[in-house]
Amino acid sequence: MVALVSAISGLLYGYDTGIISGALLQISDEFGIGSGWEQVIAASILAGAVIGALACSRLSQRLGRRKTLLIVGVVFVLGSAGAALAPNPVLLSLARVVLGFAVGGATQTAPTYVAELAPSKYRGRLVLFFQIAIGVGILIATIIGASESVDWRISIGAATVPSALMFLLMLRLPDSPRWLVKAGREDEARQALERVRPKGSDVSGELHDINELVEAETSASTSGWRGLRERWVRPALIVGCGLAVFTQLSGIEMIVYYSPTILTDNGFSNTVALRVSVGLGATYLITQLIGLAIIDRVGRRRLTLLTLPGAALSLIVLGTFFVTDHAGKAQVPYIIATLIAFMAFTAGGIQLMGWLTGSEIYPLATREAGAAAQSASLWGTNLLITLSLLTIIDTIGTGQTFWLYAAFNVAGFVFLYRKMPELTGRSLEQIENRLSKGKFTPADFAGTR
């Protein structure tokens, strides 16, 4: 049930961000708006996500993971209902800001909540439910959009159902034992552990380990947001936030949010454009599953560096179709194949790293603040891209915009090649130890596990 709550929050993240792709075609017709308002409506959820990621980081420290997720569940319901009932683009954008708060809060809190309640041998696969559910949410959103028979208000309002389910499930679940110990409520922490462990299990050893970790965190000289400014922590912050920025500059959100709009603006029919978005959603989910299956064998750094050139090349080819005026009906199969190739390289590579590294790259005492800073960097970059993309296309052209994002992928490759060490196979303690000794370059991690 704990993992299911995380999966629902991930599904809502994927669905609420993905549903706008097809809905924008209907919204622009109903409200009679142009690309400027389309950008604002699409980006408003991201503005809320930045606020939600930062605010819920502090809420989860003060109120606990459970209460924070209950608040997130209520906000999901209110935001979805408000967006579905909005009578004009202004109120629709404001409702999506509220919805974005829940999205940002969920991405910040749900994976941590699961990690702190799950038995160690199941932790990885249970936390990954969140990542997989994002892909499922995007795929469901694209299928609904492609049907063209579901009104945009119904498709957006439908998210209230899983939101309410998430809230009801959370009412029955315990709080994080780690947070309870930190709050001085050890008896409640023991009860929480006993609820999620086999009946009759002795949880004393696990509770002792939690006490030791909490004591180490509270006594650490480098902690919280102040700790991120420490010189020895800075390399982790640069890699983590840089990686978050380049996951968005890869162009993934350009395709998820705007592929139907871009294609219809270039002569594709609504039906074809929406069907392409379904293929892209399916590719996203499938390649994420493949990437998750091989990441521990291939390695985080290696997988990212192997896939980024493929994404860049796909965007170069895609841009060439439009720049050379070879984007007519005869080239449709090739354009679709190139879009799918881009999605496969991106979703199965760098997209896996944005959330994963936040839970492992920072020292224990700064991990929560580091993950929040990384989330805010990711959502903030996403916001800037979504607010500017259609304007950039109108200014320099569709093909040239694809080339611009190809250049971002090349820049991401160079940055990560020079800065990102291979963290696969290293314990959190080993990573922190290398960081504290100032040995956090790719060369420092090469050849040893």
Side-chain angles (χ1 to χ4, degrees):
M1 284 181 66
V2 170
L4 180 60
V5 166
S6 177
I8 292 172
S9 67
L11 184 143
L12 286 166
Y13 161 26
Y15 184 85
D16 286 326
T17 54
I19 196 65
I20 201 65
S21 176
L24 269 179
L25 299 178
Q26 296 183 35
I27 291 169
S28 60
D29 287 341
E30 180 173 329
F31 292 147
I33 56 176
S35 60
W37 263 114
E38 288 176 355
Q39 288 178 151
V40 171
I41 291 168
S44 54
I45 196 171
L46 307 173
V50 175
I51 300 167
L54 295 173
C56 287
S57 170
R58 297 189 180 277
L59 283 176
S60 68
Q61 289 179 17
R62 293 183 181 181
L63 303 179
R65 322 305 189 210
R66 179 177 177 271
K67 286 183 180 177
T68 302
L69 285 172
L70 283 169
I71 292 170
V72 164
V74 171
V75 176
F76 262 129
V77 172
L78 294 176
S80 299
L85 298 171
N88 56 57
V90 175
L91 291 179
L92 174 58
S93 298
L94 290 174
R96 281 177 59 79
V97 171
V98 173
L99 192 55
F101 181 96
V103 169
T107 59
Q108 179 61 34
T109 312
T112 302
Y113 178 65
V114 178
E116 292 179 348
L117 274 166
S120 57
K121 64 179 179 179
Y122 299 127
R123 181 175 298 130
R125 71 187 74 169
L126 292 179
V127 172
L128 289 178
F129 277 10
F130 177 82
Q131 183 86 38
I132 294 167
I134 294 172
V136 173
I138 290 173
L139 180 58
I140 292 172
T142 57
I143 290 171
I144 290 174
S147 72
E148 298 186 81
S149 60
V150 181
D151 184 79
W152 70 269
R153 295 183 184 277
I154 294 174
S155 61
I156 288 177
T160 56
V161 177
S163 303
L165 177 60
M166 174 184 165
F167 177 83
L168 293 173
L169 285 173
M170 279 306 308
L171 291 174
R172 300 187 59 190
L173 295 175
D175 213 326
S176 157
R178 185 175 176 275
W179 181 83
L180 290 168
V181 168
K182 198 171 179 179
R185 295 155 61 179
E186 192 166 327
D187 289 343
E188 292 178 56
R190 179 181 292 276
Q191 292 170 10
L193 276 175
E194 288 173 345
R195 282 189 62 187
V196 292
R197 297 293 179 267
K199 191 173 182 179
S201 295
D202 184 4
V203 298
S204 299
E206 193 171 353
L207 197 59
H208 174 73
D209 291 342
I210 292 171
N211 267 301
E212 285 191 337
L213 284 171
V214 169
E215 187 177 341
E217 182 179 343
T218 53
S219 62
S221 58
T222 302
S223 61
W225 287 92
R226 288 184 179 180
L228 292 178
R229 295 197 293 267
E230 294 286 338
R231 185 173 180 179
W232 68 276
V233 180
R234 208 173 298 153
L237 185 66
I238 290 170
V239 171
C241 291
L243 180 59
V245 167
F246 280 112
T247 60
Q248 303 308 298
L249 289 179
S250 67
I252 184 78
E253 304 305 345
M254 167 176 64
I255 302 302
V256 169
Y257 295 148
Y258 291 131
S259 59
T261 302
I262 293 170
L263 293 175
T264 54
D265 285 350
N266 284 277
F268 286 62
S269 70
N270 282 11
T271 301
V272 170
L274 291 169
R275 287 177 180 173
V276 169
S277 70
V278 174
L280 293 172
T283 304
Y284 183 100
L285 178 58
I286 292 167
T287 51
Q288 284 253 302
L289 290 170
I290 293 170
L292 291 170
I294 65 174
I295 190 170
D296 286 327
R297 281 176 283 175
V298 177
R300 289 146 173 69
R301 182 175 188 269
R302 186 180 301 171
L303 183 62
T304 307
L305 296 180
L306 284 173
T307 52
L308 275 173
L313 182 60
S314 299
L315 288 174
I316 291 170
V317 173
L318 198 58
T320 304
F321 279 122
F322 289 93
V323 170
T324 60
D325 291 325
H326 285 82
K329 289 185 178 180
Q331 285 75 38
V332 166
Y334 304 107
I335 292 172
I336 293 172
T338 310
L339 278 168
I340 288 174
F342 165 76
M343 181 62 81
F345 282 119
T346 304
I350 195 171
Q351 292 305 310
L352 293 169
M353 311 304 161
W355 303 115
L356 181 60
T357 53
S359 64
E360 61 187 14
I361 201 170
Y362 302 103
L364 174 65
T366 64
R367 192 162 296 146
E368 205 152 20
Q374 192 162 326
S375 293
S377 299
L378 187 148
W379 289 119
T381 308
N382 196 342
L383 172 63
L384 292 175
I385 290 169
T386 310
L387 272 174
S388 63
L389 182 70
L390 295 181
T391 301
I392 291 172
I393 289 174
D394 290 342
T395 304
I396 66 174
T398 302
Q400 291 85 344
T401 303
F402 285 132
W403 284 352
L404 175 64
Y405 278 85
F408 289 149
N409 277 274
V410 172
F413 178 92
V414 173
F415 172 82
L416 295 171
Y417 179 81
R418 295 182 60 185
K419 296 289 187 181
M420 182 181 177
E422 181 56 81
L423 304 178
T424 305
R426 275 82 179 185
S427 69
L428 299 181
E429 291 73 25
Q430 288 174 327
I431 294 170
E432 184 168 343
N433 184 49
R434 294 286 182 89
L435 191 61
S436 66
K437 292 178 179 178
K439 296 182 177 181
F440 203 70
T441 67
D444 294 325
F445 279 72
T448 57
R449 289 287 177 98

